[in-house]
Amino acid sequence: MSAWTVVCLAGTAALACGSALAPIGGRWRAALAIQATGIAALGVVGGAALFGAAPVGAQFRSGLSPALGIDRLSGFFVLMLAVTAVPAALHAREAMRDTPHAAAIASLGGAFCLALVGLVAARDATTFLAFWELMTLLPATIILVARHDERARRDVLAYLAITHLGGIGVWVTMLVLADHGALGGDPLQSDGLRALVVVAALLGFGTKAGVMPLHSWLPRAHPLAPAHVSALMSGVMVKLALYGLIRVLLEWAAPMPRWVGPALLGVGALSAVGGVLYALFQRELKRLLAFSSIENVGIVVLGLGAALTFESIGEPRWSAIAFAAALLHMLNHAVLKALLFLCAGSFAGAVGGLELDRLGGPLRRMPWTGGTFAIGAAGLAGLAPLSGFASEWMTLQALVHLSVHGPSGVALAAAAATAALAATAALAVLCFAKVIGLVLLGSPRRSECARARETAVSMRAPLVVLAGICVVLGLVPGLLVPTLAQLGPGEVQLARRPGLDLPGSGGLPALALAVGLVVVIGGLWRAGAARRAEPTPAWACGQRVVPALAWTSAGFTKPLRLMTQALLRPRRQVTVRSDGGVIQEVAHDAEVPHLFDSLIYEPVTAGALRGAAVVRRLQSGSLRAYLVYLLGLLLLALALVRLGLLA
Amino acid sequence: MTAATAAAGAVQLLGCVAVAPLLPGTVQHLKARLQGRPGPSPLQPYRELRRLWRKSGVAPQPRTVIYELAPATVAGTLLIAALLVPIGGHAPDWGIGHDALVLVGLLALGRFAIALAAWDTGGAFGLIGAARDLTFAVPVEAVLLLVVVVLALPSGSTDLLALSALATTAEAWSEPAHWAAALAFGIVVLAELGRQPVDNPDTHLELTMVHEGPLLEYAGRDLAYLQWAVAARHWILLVLATELFVPRPEPFLAQVATLAGALPTWCVVLAVVETTQAKMRVLRVPVLIGTGAAICLLALISWHVRGGA
C-alpha cells in the first residue's frame, strides 16, 4: 500500500467521521473542521495524482464488484473539490452559527462531499451509479432540512424530477458500457451502440450539468441551499456531470462520431449566451449566480466541443489545447463561483435578503467581503488579468483556429461559436458590472445595508484565499495548462512557462500584462491624484439626490432588454392612477419570463399530467374490471404463443 | 532589436501619448469646415488637456476608491493596448505579446472600469451612458472576433504582427473576404470611437449620450485622463485600420510614411461620415453592428467557396 493510498484513506475516514459526528452533542463546528481536514488531505492526493504520482487504487473495470481509485483526471476533479469545499466548510463554521438545524446540515454537507469524491473515484458502473444517485439526493435533503416553505418543496420536486428523468440517460450509458466491457477494457464495436451511448450520455450528464435546454432545475435548486452547499452545487456538482461526459466521450466510447463535436458547439453556444442573458434579468443575487453557472458550463462545453472536433479533423495538438482550456475554465469557475456564493452568504447574514435592488453600499461597510466579491465578479466577467480571462482567451483561440483550419461546415459552425462566445464575454461584463454596482456600490438602499458590519476574520479568511487563487490562476495559467493538456485525448506535450503561448497566436503573457497594468495604472493614479474640491452630491439636474432616483437592475439592463425583446418577450405593465387629471400613483411591473419553462417544460408537464389522468381511468378500483384485464392479457398471451411470437 | 523595431516602439509611445489628441481635433476641425463654420483649431484638444490638468478634481458623494481609480484604469488599459499594435509591421517585444484577442480584452477592461465608476456615484446620466456602452459592446465584440477570424484565414494566426505583414501587398485585396473584413471593421470603428451614426461626440445633452455620460461626474486630471483616452482610442483603432488593411511598400520608412498619410485620410473619412450621417436611434445601432456580423459570415463562406486560396 503506497503512502498516497494511506493519506487517501485517512482523508476519507476524517471526512466520514466529521460527517457522522456533526449531529452529536452540538459539536458541529468541530466536525466541520474535521471534514475540512479530510477534504484537504484528499485534495493533496488528487493534486499528487494530477501532477504525475502513480494512480491510487484500482483501474476501471466492467465487472460488478465495487472498486475505487484515483487516476490523473480524477485527481484533477478531487483537487477542484478540495479547493472549493475546504473554504466552504470553514466559511460555514461561522456562517451557520444562527441557522436552525445547523448540525444536520453540516452532517449532510459532509456526506455530500463524500458522494462527490466517491463519484470521481468510482472505478465500476455500480459504484458510479450509487454515488451518482447520492450526489443528486443529498443536496435535495439539505434543502428540505434548511427550508420548509412550500415554494422550496415545489422547486426541490422539480429538481428531483428533472434530474432523475435525465438520470435515465446516465444509467443507460453506464450499464451499456459495462455490459460490453468498455469500462477500462475493449472499445465499443458497433457504431449503433456507440451512437446510443453518446445520445444517452449527452442527455443524462447534460441534464445534471445544466446544459440548455435541460437546465430548468438548476436556477431553482441552487439558490435554495445554504451558501456553502450552493457553492458546492454550482462549483463542483455540475462539473462532475461534465466529468462523466468527458470519460464517456473521450475514453470509454471513443472514437466519437463526427457529429458530436459540432453538436456540443451548438449546445455550448446556446447555454453560454442563454445563461448569461437570463442571468442579466434576474432580481435575486443567488438566482443570478445560478444562471451564470449555466453560462460557464456552456463555455466549458464549447471547449470540449472544439476538442472533439479538432480530434476528428486530425489536429491533436489543438485538440489538447481546447481540452485544457475547458478544464482550466472548470477550475476557474469552481473557485469563482464558490467565492461569490460564500460572499452572498456573508451578505445575507449581514443585511438579510439578497434582492439586488435592495442592497448597495457594502464596499465601504464590509471592505474585505466586498473587495473579494468584486474580484470574483470581475473574474467571472472574464476580465484581464484575472483567471476567467485566461481560460476564455484559450477557448476563444481554439474556436478561432477551428474556424481557420476546419473544413467549410465546421469552420462556419466554429465562427458562429466564436461570435457567440465573444458576445457572451461582453454580456458577462454587462452582467457583473450590474452586480457589483447594485450589490457593492452606491448608497445603501435599505437601512440594514447602512448598518451592515464586516464579518469575523474566520469567515473572511476563506474568501481571501479563494480570491487569491483566482488572482494566481490568472497570473500564471501556463504553469497548469501543460498538465491539463496531457489529460486530453492526444497526450500532447506543451511547453511549461508562466504565460500562455499558443501556436498561431500573439501569446498571453499574463504575468507581464498584469505587472504592466498595475504599474501603468498605479503611476497614472499617483500622477492624477491632485487636490479635490469639497464633496458634493452627484449631478442630477440640480435636483436633490433622493433614494427614489437610485438606478435599478431593470434600468441598467433596459437597452439590452429592448434589443432582445423579439427573442425574450419581456412582460411589462404600467398602471397609472389619476384623480381629476392629476397623476396620483404609477405602478410598474415587469419581468422577463423564462421562456424555456413556459414553452418547453410547462407543455411537457401538462401533457404528462393529462396522460396520467387517462391512464388512471384504467385503475378504477372495481374487481370486475381487473378480472377483465387479466382475461384480456391471458388471451393476448395465448394468441401470441399461437402465432409463434412468444416462445 | 533592429533600428526599425526600436523606431516602431518610439512611434507607438510618442504617437499614442502625443499625436493621438490631434486625431479627434482634426476630425472636429474638418467637420466644422465641411459644415461652413470656422470651427476650433485641430490643436484644441491639447489646450483642453492643459487646462484640465491644472484644475482640481471633484468629489461626488457617495464614492469609493473605484471612482478615483477608473480614469487611470481607462487610460492605463489604452496605453498598454497601444503597445500591442504594430507600427509599420514592426513592434518591439514589450513582454506582453501582440495578440488581437488580448487587445479586445483590454478594451473590455476599460469599459468595465468606467461603468463601475458610474455605479459608484450612482448618477443617472452616467448609468444611462454606461448601460448603452456595455450593451453596444455585445455586438461589437462579436463582430470584432469575426473580423479576427476572417483576417486570420490566410495566415492562421491571431498575432497582430503576422496579420499586419499579410496586408502589405495589394494581393490581399484580391480576396473578397478581405473587402468584407474591411467593411465590418469600419462599422466596428464607428461604434468603438463613439462617432456618428452610433454616438454623437459633440453632444452634451445628457439623454442622448453614450460615451460622454460617465464623464459628467469628473473634472480636473481625472477628466484629462478620460479625454486623452478618447483620443488614444482613435489612435489605436485608426492605426490598426492602417496596419491591417492598407497595402504599402516593404521598407520600414515607407510603411511609416504610409501611416502618416493614412491617418489624416481616416480623419477626412470620419468627418465626411459625420457630416452626412445623422445619429441613429439607439435601438437601431445593434442592427447596424449586426450587419457587420453577417458580412463576416459571408466573407467566410466566400473564402471556402473559392477553395480557401
Side-chain angles (χ1 to χ4, degrees):
Chain A
M1 198 189 274
S2 79
W4 291 122
T5 318
V6 176
V7 179
C8 188
L9 289 178
T12 316
L15 182 53
C17 286
S19 183
L21 291 178
I24 300 170
R27 305 294 296 274
W28 58 270
R29 298 188 64 233
L32 273 175
I34 300 175
Q35 285 179 19
T37 321
I39 304 168
L42 284 169
V44 170
V45 177
L50 172 65
F51 286 103
V56 175
Q59 303 281 321
F60 278 103
R61 61 172 79 144
S62 292
L64 288 179
S65 56
L68 292 168
I70 293 179
D71 63 357
R72 300 190 71 180
L73 186 63
S74 300
F76 171 74
F77 282 89
V78 173
L79 183 65
M80 185 164 90
L81 170 70
V83 168
T84 319
V86 173
L90 296 178
H91 185 268
R93 286 182 45 155
E94 292 297 323
M96 289 206 303
R97 268 182 190 279
D98 302 324
T99 315
H101 312 297
I105 295 173
S107 170
L108 288 166
F112 182 40
C113 287
L114 214 51
L116 296 173
V117 176
L119 184 73
V120 282
R123 285 297 173 265
D124 67 301
T126 337
T127 322
F128 188 94
L129 289 173
F131 282 118
W132 178 264
E133 291 301 321
L134 279 177
M135 179 175 90
T136 306
L137 292 175
L138 282 168
T141 321
I142 297 176
I143 295 172
L144 289 179
V145 169
R147 306 266 306 244
H148 296 288
D149 49 316
E150 180 177 351
R151 176 138 179 259
R153 287 204 298 271
R154 287 184 74 90
D155 285 345
V156 168
L157 180 66
Y159 160 55
L160 286 178
I162 296 173
T163 44
H164 268 112
L165 277 178
I168 297 172
V170 176
W171 280 79
V172 169
T173 309
M174 295 307 291
L175 294 181
V176 168
L177 285 172
D179 187 33
H180 289 80
L183 293 186
D186 325 319
L188 284 179
Q189 295 302 328
S190 117
D191 279 342
L193 210 55
R194 180 172 288 124
L196 169 73
V197 166
V198 171
V199 171
L202 286 179
L203 287 176
F205 292 113
T207 308
K208 192 71 186 173
V211 169
M212 278 189 170
L214 305 168
H215 65 285
S216 187
W217 63 272
L218 197 152
R220 294 167 197 258
H222 284 205
L224 291 175
H228 73 288
V229 179
S230 297
L232 285 179
M233 288 170 82
S234 254
V236 184
M237 186 175 82
V238 295
K239 310 296 173 5
L240 293 200
L242 293 173
Y243 161 80
L245 200 60
I246 290 173
R247 286 277 188 207
V248 173
L249 297 186
L250 291 156
E251 224 168 277
W252 298 331
M256 279 296 106
R258 298 187 82 86
W259 56 267
V260 179
L264 283 184
L265 286 183
V267 178
L270 174 70
S271 306
V273 177
V276 70
L277 262 184
Y278 278 112
L280 265 162
F281 298 116
Q282 298 308 311
R283 294 171 179 170
E284 207 260 352
L285 179 59
K286 284 179 84 176
R287 209 171 141 80
L288 183 151
L289 293 177
F291 269 106
S292 148
S293 294
I294 298 177
E295 172 217 339
N296 284 286
V297 164
I299 297 176
V300 174
V301 171
L302 277 175
L304 291 179
L308 284 174
T309 320
F310 271 125
E311 205 192 2
S312 70
I313 63 172
E315 295 258 3
R317 194 176 173 76
W318 271 104
S319 174
I321 291 171
F323 184 74
L327 288 190
L328 184 64
H329 196 75
M330 274 195 224
L331 181 61
N332 285 338
H333 178 246
V335 172
L336 292 168
K337 200 43 74 69
L339 171 60
L340 289 197
F341 267 118
L342 295 183
C343 285
S346 294
F347 290 142
V351 302
L354 286 175
E355 212 185 321
L356 282 173
D357 286 336
R358 319 231 328 118
L359 292 163
L363 191 55
R364 283 186 299 272
R365 307 277 317 173
M366 306 167 70
W368 286 95
T369 314
T372 48
F373 183 84
I375 291 179
L380 269 185
L383 288 167
L386 297 171
S387 60
F389 184 68
S391 49
E392 282 187 23
W393 182 83
M394 270 181 86
T395 315
L396 268 175
Q397 284 287 356
L399 289 173
V400 167
H401 283 86
L402 187 58
S403 23
V404 170
H405 297 308
S408 46
V410 167
L412 269 180
T418 312
L421 183 52
T424 305
L427 286 167
V429 169
L430 179 62
C431 179
F432 285 99
K434 179 192 97 166
V435 168
I436 295 181
L438 282 168
V439 175
L440 298 179
L441 304 176
S443 319
R445 292 146 196 264
R446 259 191 314 171
S447 51
E448 289 92 334
C449 300
R451 290 196 304 269
R453 297 249 305 275
E454 182 58 282
T455 50
V457 176
S458 48
M459 212 160 144
R460 290 183 318 224
L463 304 180
V464 174
V465 169
L466 284 173
I469 296 174
C470 159
V471 172
V472 170
L473 276 177
L475 293 183
V476 288
L479 295 183
L480 189 59
V481 163
T483 312
L484 299 182
Q486 283 166 11
L487 302 181
E491 310 247 327
V492 174
Q493 296 288 338
L494 297 178
R496 194 182 296 273
R497 51 173 73 111
L500 291 172
D501 193 12
L502 306 183
S505 83
L508 173 63
L511 189 57
L513 196 66
V515 170
L517 280 172
V518 169
V519 167
V520 171
I521 293 173
L524 289 174
W525 186 41
R526 286 290 299 277
R531 66 207 152 85
R532 287 186 186 278
E534 284 298 299
T536 45
W539 171 246
C541 283
Q543 297 182 66
R544 280 243 316 277
V545 179
V546 290
L549 287 180
W551 260 49
T552 57
S553 165
F556 196 67
T557 50
K558 179 154 188 176
L560 188 77
R561 196 167 65 243
L562 292 176
M563 199 170 114
T564 52
Q565 65 182 357
L567 200 64
L568 297 180
R569 301 187 216 161
R571 199 180 51 71
R572 180 168 179 268
Q573 195 170 18
V574 180
T575 329
V576 180
R577 191 173 66 80
S578 60
D579 190 9
V582 181
I583 292 175
Q584 302 288 332
E585 195 179 84
V586 179
H588 172 260
D589 180 32
E591 69 162 349
V592 179
H594 194 53
L595 287 184
F596 286 91
D597 277 354
S598 54
L599 294 183
I600 300 179
Y601 286 86
E602 279 168 20
V604 169
T605 320
L609 287 176
R610 268 200 303 277
V614 171
V615 172
R616 200 167 54 197
R617 281 194 214 134
L618 290 177
Q619 202 171 15
S620 56
S622 124
L623 191 61
R624 279 170 294 179
Y626 293 146
L627 286 174
V628 172
Y629 296 157
L630 275 178
L631 187 63
L633 206 62
L634 188 65
L635 288 176
L636 186 70
L638 286 173
L640 287 177
V641 170
R642 187 81 182 88
L643 291 170
L645 293 172
L646 211 65
Chain B
M1 195 195 290
T2 63
T5 323
V11 178
Q12 275 181 332
L13 271 177
L14 274 179
C16 174
V17 174
V19 182
L22 199 56
L23 297 172
T26 312
V27 177
Q28 290 305 90
H29 179 73
L30 290 173
K31 201 168 87 174
R33 297 307 286 270
L34 282 171
Q35 293 167 355
R37 296 181 279 124
S41 143
L43 300 177
Q44 186 62 26
Y46 293 99
R47 298 179 189 139
E48 287 200 11
L49 288 177
R50 193 182 60 189
R51 177 176 61 86
L52 287 172
W53 193 257
R54 291 177 186 156
K55 295 187 76 164
S56 62
V58 288
Q61 289 290 1
R63 69 169 200 288
T64 63
V65 70
I66 286 181
Y67 168 85
E68 291 167 25
L69 269 177
T73 309
V74 174
T77 50
L78 285 170
L79 189 61
I80 302 267
L83 299 182
L84 294 171
V85 181
I87 301 285
H90 291 72
D93 180 20
W94 298 96
I96 52 173
H98 301 99
D99 192 65
L101 306 190
V102 175
L103 182 68
V104 178
L106 285 174
L107 293 179
L109 182 59
R111 267 197 292 270
F112 183 73
I114 198 71
L116 285 193
W119 273 111
D120 200 9
T121 57
F125 298 120
L127 284 167
I128 293 179
R132 287 176 183 166
D133 192 16
L134 292 184
T135 306
F136 291 167
V138 176
V140 164
E141 280 197 9
V143 175
L144 210 47
L145 258 289
L146 284 176
V147 171
V148 171
V149 167
V150 174
L151 287 178
L153 284 174
S155 65
S157 173
T158 61
D159 190 340
L160 286 172
L161 283 171
L163 295 181
S164 160
L166 270 183
T168 46
T169 57
E171 248 170 69
W173 288 93
S174 63
E175 273 300 325
H178 201 67
W179 290 83
L183 191 57
F185 190 74
I187 295 175
V188 168
V189 168
L190 287 184
E192 191 64 34
L193 294 185
R195 288 276 158 194
Q196 280 181 19
V198 174
D199 185 11
N200 185 351
D202 295 336
T203 182
H204 287 277
L205 180 64
E206 290 94 335
L207 294 176
T208 63
M209 293 182 302
V210 182
H211 286 85
E212 287 278 313
L215 274 56
L216 272 184
E217 293 297 339
Y218 284 103
R221 294 187 177 183
D222 294 335
L223 188 56
Y225 280 150
L226 292 170
Q227 294 209 339
W228 173 80
V230 172
R233 207 173 284 130
H234 278 73
W235 168 263
I236 291 172
L237 286 171
L238 296 184
V239 170
L240 208 53
T242 317
E243 292 292 323
L244 295 181
F245 295 108
V246 177
R248 51 200 185 265
E250 196 58 47
F252 176 68
L253 277 180
Q255 297 216 33
V256 174
T258 315
L259 183 64
L263 287 179
T265 318
W266 298 134
C267 289
V268 173
V269 172
L270 281 179
V272 171
V273 170
E274 294 233 316
T275 310
T276 52
Q277 296 286 314
K279 183 175 177 301
M280 282 183 161
R281 282 192 59 202
V282 168
L283 291 178
R284 305 274 306 160
V285 173
V287 180
L288 170 76
I289 306 171
T291 318
I295 294 171
C296 286
L297 289 179
L298 282 179
L300 203 62
I301 293 172
S302 93
W303 172 267
H304 281 284
V305 169
R306 287 166 56 87

